[in-house]
Amino acid sequence: IEKQHQLIELLKEKRQAVISHAVTKGLNPNVPMKDSGVEWLGQVPEHWGITPLKHQVETINGFGFSSNDFCDEGVPFIRAGNIKQKSINNVEIFLPQEIVNKYKRVILSAGDVVISMVGSDPTVKESAVGQIGIIPTHFEGAVPNQNVVILREKKCNLLKKYLFYSLCSTAYRTHLDIFSHKLANQAIISSSLIMSAKFTMPRVDEQLEIINYLDNQLLKFDQMMLKAESAIQLMQERRTALISAAVTGKIDVRHWQSPTVAEAHTELSA
């Protein structure tokens, strides 16, 4: 079980490295490189542009809907804590459609990129401030609260999925970690600092190649992690069943010896 947990962590690290390399170095290992001028981007392909997010993306802050309007079904209401594992999870609060219709600007579309403005200290990676998510199809029409920022591209030369992968890179995570700051028992970052980061801008055709490459590679990593998680579950079930059988007398353990003890006896006999 411990080895499978270690494998999952290694796969997560490799997954992150593959994303970061693709959006900062490209897919061609022989392309001429240049200094990006940004410490955490390092060398980038010579023909790529380097641009601040604010020149390519606009931010739309979610809205602080009243808790009096919350209900058990209706339009999903997305909070910062729902942005997990690069998607949207565990949404339990909803709003009436008639309320949401008054705030069309913040209604989400499938494929929209969102980022949390509040979260844990950067050392807690899974819930650190600046969690990135992409809105899945089944959350089309949902709305975010005031601690979630929607990032929408201004021009057609930036593809949504490329923006998403760029924000998932280690370089952008470094930017968030540096500029976020503690407030009470949580960390926060402003939308202006979210937008101040620089990122790489390949041509649209290269963005598409990177998207397709990463989609395929990450699917493989996800499948391997699912297999490891399944193996852990099976081993835990087997472990529980073995303990139960031993303590209820379903297996005879009276003559059992630790393998190390048995090996020692064998060596003494020899």
Side-chain angles (χ1 to χ4, degrees):
I1 290 172
E2 182 59 30
K3 286 180 179 179
Q4 291 301 313
H5 280 302
Q6 290 173 2
L7 173 61
I8 289 171
E9 290 306 308
L10 288 171
L11 288 170
K12 286 180 179 178
E13 290 175 11
K14 179 64 175 176
R15 191 180 191 276
Q16 183 66 32
V18 168
I19 294 173
S20 298
H21 190 276
V23 299
T24 58
K25 312 302 178 191
L27 304 181
N28 182 359
N30 301 315
V31 69
M33 306 292 280
K34 67 179 179 183
D35 185 4
S36 67
V38 182
E39 182 180 352
W40 43 84
L41 283 179
Q43 296 275 314
V44 300
E46 193 175 63
H47 64 290
W48 284 16
I50 306 294
T51 178
L53 267 175
K54 62 185 177 183
H55 291 172
Q56 301 294 330
V57 175
E58 67 170 343
T59 60
I60 301 169
N61 283 65
F63 186 75
F65 292 90
S66 171
S67 59
N68 294 330
D69 295 321
F70 293 172
C71 52
D72 295 330
E73 57 182 22
V75 177
F77 182 49
I78 296 171
R79 298 172 293 170
N82 298 130
I83 307 175
K84 299 285 187 184
Q85 300 174 335
K86 307 297 186 287
S87 188
I88 310 300
N89 296 283
N90 304 321
V91 176
E92 298 174 341
I93 299 176
F94 300 86
L95 289 162
Q97 186 67 59
E98 58 270 22
I99 297 293
V100 170
N101 288 341
K102 299 176 184 178
Y103 303 92
K104 294 186 182 296
R105 181 171 167 79
V106 300
I107 295 176
L108 294 162
S109 301
D112 273 347
V113 179
V114 292
I115 181 169
S116 63
M117 297 173 65
V118 299
S120 304
D121 184 272
T123 56
V124 187
K125 294 182 180 180
E126 298 298 324
S127 60
V129 61
Q131 292 296 305
I132 312 295
I134 191 165
I135 302 300
T137 304
H138 59 279
F139 280 118
E140 174 97 31
V143 289
N145 78 351
Q146 71 275 19
N147 292 323
V148 175
V149 175
I150 309 167
L151 303 180
R152 288 188 177 139
E153 64 281 11
K154 294 179 180 179
K155 305 171 185 177
C156 60
N157 64 340
L158 174 61
L159 302 180
K160 281 183 185 291
K161 196 68 175 289
Y162 179 78
L163 170 64
F164 169 70
Y165 280 137
S166 291
L167 299 184
C168 289
S169 68
T170 301
Y172 190 65
R173 183 67 253 174
T174 300
H175 170 84
L176 294 173
D177 290 348
I178 289 172
F179 290 103
S180 63
H181 60 279
K182 287 186 178 180
L183 181 65
N185 61 345
Q186 63 182 7
I188 65 171
I189 189 167
S190 67
S191 56
S192 60
L193 287 173
I194 285 171
M195 297 292 283
S196 67
K198 291 185 177 181
F199 76 120
T200 57
M201 276 286 290
R203 299 188 310 264
V204 172
D205 59 323
E206 284 189 87
Q207 291 180 41
L208 190 57
E209 287 177 4
I210 290 170
I211 291 167
N212 291 336
Y213 169 78
L214 288 176
D215 283 349
N216 289 329
Q217 291 297 309
L218 300 190
L219 178 61
K220 294 176 183 177
F221 284 118
D222 290 344
Q223 289 172 340
M224 285 189 284
M225 283 190 279
L226 282 174
K227 286 182 180 178
E229 288 166 359
S230 177
I232 289 170
Q233 184 177 350
L234 288 171
M235 285 187 283
Q236 287 174 332
E237 290 173 358
R238 173 59 181 158
R239 186 177 185 275
T240 300
L242 183 61
I243 292 171
S244 177
V247 300
T248 57
K250 292 179 181 177
I251 54 176
D252 187 351
V253 297
R254 287 174 296 178
H255 303 295
W256 181 86
Q257 282 187 314
S258 166
T260 52
V261 174
E263 288 168 7
H265 286 169
T266 302
E267 289 174 4
L268 288 171
S269 300

